[in-house]
């Protein structure tokens, strides 16, 4: 029973590790459409939008996936869904890696 529990935990860790993989340089190249709301280098000038610079990479990736799947609502969720609907999983991982790599 303990072996099964360990295997389940390890599978979860490995899936989170795969989810967190991304290319920050590629993400920078893909971030042009994000700048309108989230500012240059992930720092906003309009307080209604969140700063992305320095955010946790897995959180960013999970959030973008949730917007894409329509799992988030309220606020700017519909706007975000429109922006991320055409992104691949690799695009999302790259963007998350880029914003996580920036200084807050």
């Amino acid at each position: 029973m303990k072996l099964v529990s360990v295997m389940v935990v390890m599978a979860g860790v490995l899936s989170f590790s795969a989810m967190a993989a991304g290319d920050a340089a590629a993400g920078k190249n893909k971030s042009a459409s994000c700048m309108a709301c989230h500012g240059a280098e992930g720092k906003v000038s309009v307080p209604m939008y969140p700063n992305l610079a320095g955010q946790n990479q897995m959180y960013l990736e999970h959030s973008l996936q949730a917007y894409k799947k329509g799992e988030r609502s309220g606020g700017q969720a519909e706007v975000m869904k429109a922006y991320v609907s055409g992104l691949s999983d690799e695009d999302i991982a790259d963007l998350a890696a880029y914003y996580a790599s920036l200084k807050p």
Side-chain angles (χ1 to χ4, degrees):
M1 186 62 148
K2 284 185 179 182
L3 179 60
V4 171
S5 296
V6 170
M7 290 173 60
V8 169
V9 169
M10 289 304 295
V13 168
L14 291 174
S15 68
F16 276 127
S17 296
M19 192 164 124
D23 182 339
K28 181 176 183 176
N29 293 333
K30 297 173 184 180
S31 70
S33 63
C34 305
M35 289 182 197
C37 299
H38 297 286
E41 297 188 12
K43 297 177 184 169
V44 300
S45 58
V46 179
M48 75 180 271
Y49 303 114
N51 286 318
L52 299 181
Q55 284 281 3
N56 179 281
Q57 183 175 345
M58 287 194 323
Y59 169 77
L60 288 171
E61 192 167 342
H62 176 75
S63 297
L64 290 172
Q65 290 288 358
Y67 282 122
K68 184 176 178 177
K69 295 174 186 173
E71 296 172 349
R72 286 197 166 190
S73 60
Q76 298 294 314
E78 289 303 312
V79 173
M80 283 297 300
K81 185 176 180 181
Y83 273 101
V84 301
S85 65
L87 297 178
S88 68
D89 290 346
E90 181 180 344
D91 294 335
I92 288 173
D94 292 345
L95 285 165
Y98 169 63
Y99 283 110
S101 75
L102 299 175
K103 298 275 187 223

